[in-house]
Amino acid sequence: MPCYPAEMGRNSTRSDIEWRFLAPVMALVTIAFLATAWIKSGAPITTVAQGAGAPVHVGSQACAGCHASQAASWAASHHAHAMDHARPETMRGDFAGRSAEAAGIRARFFREGGAYLVETAGSDGKQAVFTISHSLGWEPLQQYLVTFPDGRIQTLPWAWDTRPATEGGQRWFLVYGDEQIGPADSRYWTRLQQNWNHMCAECHTTDLRKGYDAQADSFRTRWSELGVGCEGCHGAGSGHIAWARAGADGGNATRGFAALAHRRPAPDWSPDPGTGSPAAGVARPPGDEVETCARCHSRRGQIGTDWRPGQPIAQTHSPVTLAAGLFEDDGQMKDEVFNDHAFKQSLMYAKGVVCSDCHEPHSGKVRAEGAAICAQCHQPERFAAIGHTGHAPGPGAPDCIGCHMPARTYMQVDRRHDHSFRTPRPDLSAALGVPNTCSACHADKPANWAAAAVERWHGPQRKGFQTYADAFHRSRTGDPSSRDTLQRLATDNLVPAPARATAVEELASWPAAASERAVTRALDDPDPVVRATALRHLEGQPAERRRIALPLLADPVRLVRIAAGYLLADLSFETLPQHQREALSAAIAEFEAALAVDLDRPEARANRALLRLKQQRPADAESEYLAALRLDPAAAAIAAQLADLYRRTGHETDAERVLRAVLAVDPGSAGARHALGLSLIRQKRPREALIDLKAAAEADPANARFAFIYAVALRSLGQPELASRLLAAAATRHPADVDILSALLQEALQRQDRTQALDLARRLAALRPDDPRFKDLAGRLGR
């Protein structure tokens, strides 16, 4: 299976930048329990520990003697081929001198002796020959890696389509399709977003040690096995083997492992005759097997290297929310997000279903094909009937998978099913524009047609476990009526935890006393990701308000503790009692350690700079920002933060220098253009500034701040009519932006346009219900 680039951390260009912890890294397990006849290693296999101490990794071949059937199942799985050295048994691509060309670049794949080679464009855009060191994944595509002298292992943009030729496979293709990605782009194959050591390694190896040397900016990455072996899911195995050799003492609760995934009570999935589905679920213990799978089958960042089974994913990783861009408004997967977030939105997850109920854990195969897998728990005769599907049973009729697990294709050929098991909702497609599975087969019909058919079959009341699509859509389209619904969603424990966390995040756009009360309640949420999201919401609040976060410094989950540590890092230690001072110091230290995991990433360096600013250490913050920009010279958001630091310290010419350096690498960067315009205004060079402010606003019309600042600059330079037209257009695109609407309100009052002023005052009163100025003004204008 393929490896995808991380999402960069979202950093504001304003001075009151909020922390967003670590770029969520999507990494993907294709588990590799290695066959007993061979082992793929990056270091000598550790021998079994004979004495006391922490368990060590022993390699999968040490497990096969007692677990032969599991090892055999695994050896034939995709997981076993997650990654390997480049050798004939593992390289599936055609390296017999075959050539390919796409998106303006060429490649030739060939062999010399035992080496696998590719001739393609290098870091300078010129053709060069590279030696392939490893394969990555197995099917439906296989990618290839090149190891460079500084230890960086980079993912080639060319992949081999492993499908049969009759299905369009057996060809070389570019994973980004026809998009042209040049050497200056961070997604280019030799650059940051295609670096295996960070992007893919944790979930394609066992016992990874990244080995990044920040001083030398180089890697010495090591592992016990290529691919994810037995210990990738069970933890280091030396203690287990010692336990087995000693006679498998039944009194050892963990059987010699450091920890085990917690088991749920035995479920009864017998279908209820009245509904055709199981009548009740089963309690889900924390740290169950789903959290083990989530380590790699989720979109997340890494905050620790001490993973072990039996703990929540948030102990060592930072999962994303259902953010726009990654997920549809209804929570369906959009970008590649790896199933965990989707599954945790499902009724099945709420009832206690785990991954191995449907997937055999060693072979990775589903336990039955097609709808037969659903028949393990649901009566097939009931759900295949026309009364349920609306389609006559028989060949070509839709089945459970087709209707309840809509699919998307990633990287050109990788078709993946959404695991939220949702009720088809073409009515939401008609109302909100989200995809629906009916249109996958009936693409020639509008969504309203499908919605009407569903209503004929099942009545006007729509059912489904996921109930937040409308609220998220309204919030993201600037409708203040979403506020009340978001407040309810954020505090309703019957709502799936990923949606609760997302509701808390969305409430940042809808400030109100009631919103703050909802966030405060979310600090006590049973899910650690919700608690951590609520803590981030408190950034920018007065110290008195942030003090409610003090108890979370001692939270049992690391993600929450480090969020609290960062949030409170600027509190005066002298004002805290001894136990809170110690807890805050420990949480900040954990935050520092979490950042140290990814010092090869500019976003980790930028987050460290933000911490230094909280600690009143501006010189150290500057050093961290400069280190980040050395890692990615085109990181406009980070350059804007550094420019703002220079503004505050009176070094405006340095701010200009930094921003122009970014633009030299990426002339089209709207963020750098905007920040440069602000710097030029502060240097009293408004005419020059206007050029860059205009370029930023035109390059990124989705950014309300860029449009507002450009309009203000136009007005101040004597172009009020143009400024008014731009503000009006921006208000259409950004109907909830208080700055834009306030500027239009001021203009309407100056023109004595009572009708428009009243409309704007009412809109602003809805956006800021606790601000009496807008409500009072609307009242006066209404009278």
Side-chain angles (χ1 to χ4, degrees), residues 697 701-709 711 723-737 740-741 744 763:
N703 192 305
R705 189 71 177 171
F706 292 178
F708 172 71
I709 295 297
S724 295
R725 291 198 300 272
L726 291 175
L727 284 171
T732 301
R733 295 194 304 273
H734 309 287
D737 189 86
I740 292 172
L741 296 182
L744 289 171
R763 289 168 64 184

Side-chain angles (χ1 to χ4, degrees), residues 163-233:
R163 298 174 302 165
T166 55
E167 298 177 15
Q170 301 300 297
R171 64 188 176 100
W172 290 101
F173 69 97
L174 277 177
V175 294
Y176 285 114
D178 295 329
E179 184 180 2
Q180 294 190 346
I181 297 176
D185 195 310
S186 65
R187 295 172 298 161
Y188 191 72
W189 80 270
T190 61
R191 302 217 34 218
L192 195 72
Q193 302 295 0
Q194 292 300 326
N195 172 241
W196 170 91
N197 310 71
H198 173 84
M199 306 300 303
C200 322
E202 186 195 8
C203 291
H204 284 260
T205 66
T206 299
D207 185 28
L208 180 79
R209 289 142 281 154
K210 186 189 289 188
Y212 177 67
D213 183 338
Q215 293 297 321
D217 188 23
S218 63
F219 292 90
R220 184 176 171 79
T221 303
R222 293 291 181 266
W223 51 83
S224 64
E225 297 180 32
L226 285 178
V228 183
C230 306
E231 294 160 301
C233 294

Side-chain angles (χ1 to χ4, degrees), residues 33 70 72-80 359-366:
F33 286 149
Q70 290 89 342
S73 293
W74 165 81
S77 72
H78 293 184
H79 293 166
H359 298 269
E360 202 287 319
H362 298 101
S363 69
K365 295 179 180 179
V366 291

Side-chain angles (χ1 to χ4, degrees), residues 711 714-727 747:
L714 284 170
R715 176 174 286 279
S716 66
L717 290 174
Q719 301 184 58
E721 295 84 3
L722 178 56
S724 295
R725 291 198 300 272
L726 291 175
L727 284 171
E747 290 182 355

